[in-house]
Amino acid sequence: MILSDTMIIDAIKTGWVSFDPPVDIDIQVQPASVDLRLGNTFRVYNYAQQAVIDPTEDIDLDSISQIVRLEDKPFILHPGAFVLGSTMEYVKIPPDLVGRLEGRSSLGRLGVVVHSTAGFIDPGFEGNITLEISNIGKIPVALRAGIRICQLTLMHTGPVARPYGPLRGSKYQGQREPTPSRIKNDVEFLRRGEIKVGES
């Protein structure tokens, strides 16, 4: 069951779900979702410094620029560009809810996509959510910190036995800024034979 606005507001007031800084209930809580705002930090790949990305190798952080924009300076997202951003809010999801992140229609109509695949927020996750932002249109779009960039829906799962977090060795728990891929950690498991190809 998807949480309605009244259920979301109750969850926020009781601390079942938390957002830091707090969300503006009158503006950000929608009928069945919460709008989250864009943070002021972006990570951009330096294409001239990185010939190829190999998921089995560490990503060269020298090939990724971190750009911080103040609220009065927009980040210009050019056509075809791909950047990592993050939500302004540090989100805490309890172990009996799952989140689903979607872009806002108003930005989608400008050609801005906020996640390539990472729209699923596991039970037990906490952190600033990394956004995979692309401009699939043909006109540059100015993104400003603090705009409502995406919407988070919350659904009941029932209690889970192994929520996202330290016990699972979750790679992105507690992230505070746009976090590059840590897929190499998965590959290392395969190399050590702890997980055999074909096993679920």
Side-chain angles (χ1 to χ4, degrees):
M1 177 179 65
I2 296 176
L3 271 60
S4 67
D5 54 359
T6 55
M7 298 167 76
I8 291 169
I9 291 168
D10 184 60
I12 292 170
K13 288 181 175 178
T14 60
W16 187 31
V17 176
S18 72
F19 302 94
D20 183 26
V23 298
D24 185 322
I25 289 175
D26 293 332
I27 294 174
Q28 291 177 254
V29 176
Q30 304 302 322
S33 65
V34 181
D35 287 344
L36 300 180
R37 295 165 290 184
L38 181 64
N40 67 348
T41 306
F42 299 86
R43 286 189 183 270
V44 180
Y45 286 92
N46 293 326
Y47 299 108
Q49 302 294 322
Q50 186 85 24
V52 64
I53 296 175
D54 183 345
T56 67
E57 301 293 337
D58 285 321
I59 292 178
D60 181 5
L61 293 182
D62 290 338
S63 70
I64 304 175
S65 297
Q66 181 166 332
I67 300 172
V68 178
R69 296 292 185 192
L70 301 178
E71 291 193 21
D72 60 343
K73 296 180 181 179
F75 179 89
I76 306 302
L77 186 66
H78 290 276
F82 172 81
V83 302
L84 298 178
S86 67
T87 59
M88 177 186 292
E89 292 85 3
Y90 187 95
V91 180
K92 290 186 180 179
I93 306 290
D96 57 354
L97 287 183
V98 65
R100 187 76 196 170
L101 193 76
E102 299 291 347
R104 294 186 64 228
S105 171
S106 295
L107 286 172
R109 296 173 198 213
L110 301 178
V112 177
V113 177
V114 300
H115 69 82
S116 300
T117 59
F120 189 84
I121 313 298
D122 283 295
F125 170 83
E126 67 172 79
N128 294 80
I129 300 170
T130 293
L131 305 172
E132 303 156 346
I133 308 173
S134 300
N135 181 352
I136 62 172
K138 294 187 177 181
I139 301 173
V141 178
L143 299 178
R144 295 181 183 275
I147 65 167
R148 288 180 288 142
I149 188 78
C150 59
Q151 54 188 350
L152 178 69
T153 56
L154 297 165
M155 294 162 277
H156 281 287
T157 61
V160 298
R162 296 177 64 223
Y164 197 87
L167 294 179
R168 295 188 62 88
S170 301
K171 299 186 291 291
Y172 305 108
Q173 185 76 326
Q175 62 190 8
R176 290 280 185 176
E177 59 185 20
T179 305
S181 174
R182 292 174 176 163
I183 193 171
K184 178 179 179 281
N185 295 3
D186 297 342
V187 176
E188 288 302 307
F189 282 122
L190 288 171
R191 285 180 173 168
R192 291 197 299 267
E194 295 175 19
I195 297 175
K196 293 182 172 59
V197 176
E199 290 184 350
S200 58

